Amino acid sequence: MRVANQCGMMKAMTEDRTTWQWGKLGAAIKAAREARGLRQIDLAERAGVSEGTVQNLEGGEPRSRMPQSLAKVEPHIGWAAGSGLAVLRGGEPTLVPVVHEATATLGRGNDPLREKLPLRVVDELESDDPLIDSQVIQLPGIPGARMTVVVHGSPDATPEQIQEALLAWRRAEANLHRLPDDPDEPRAANGQ
């Protein structure tokens, strides 16, 4: 095993790094970050690096050596360890699911939410995105049955965008409250 590790290290040391695709790596990191709705500062905080480090990685400028920060960033953008090197060599990253810290904490404990709700719902409830509103709405025609709605805004939303989201939610909420008592009863064309 030690010989195999030494051979792998020798190969990496003697590899022609001038062919590495730094631009492709930068674009792939940025796309993976954006696909998760993260800002550069969000990724930096999760990975324990500076925002400038994330900017440099995404910048795609050629380097003489592999940045140590790449291994810190990979798990937070859904990449398996070593995926950055694979991209540099012209390949694709190996994708793994991202587990948010709040969800991981719930998963380790004996939390009642974990037992009652699907992971995607717990993850959304634990989201750091700004909470716009929440509402419990009685379902028509079924005594005691209700639905719970939690409305989050975009993490980087401006106050005006939050206001727009709140107004959109109020319109949707009004429609939910106007559901017919009889599920077979047709709704009017204007939704009333």
Side-chain angles (χ1 to χ4, degrees), residues 22-55:
W22 292 98
K24 179 178 179 179
L25 176 65
I29 291 171
K30 181 178 181 180
R33 174 183 58 79
E34 289 177 344
R36 282 156 184 74
L38 297 174
R39 298 171 299 164
Q40 288 178 333
I41 189 68
D42 299 328
L43 178 56
E45 288 173 359
R46 290 179 184 192
V49 299
S50 70
E51 184 178 7
T53 296
V54 174
Q55 291 169 347

Side-chain angles (χ1 to χ4, degrees), residues 72-110:
K72 294 178 180 179
V73 168
E74 287 174 331
H76 300 284
I77 58 174
W79 291 4
S83 289
L85 181 58
V87 174
L88 281 172
R89 291 176 173 161
E92 297 298 323
T94 301
L95 304 179
V96 294
V98 175
V99 177
H100 298 291
E101 292 173 21
T103 304
T105 301
L106 284 173
R108 287 192 294 270
N110 192 13

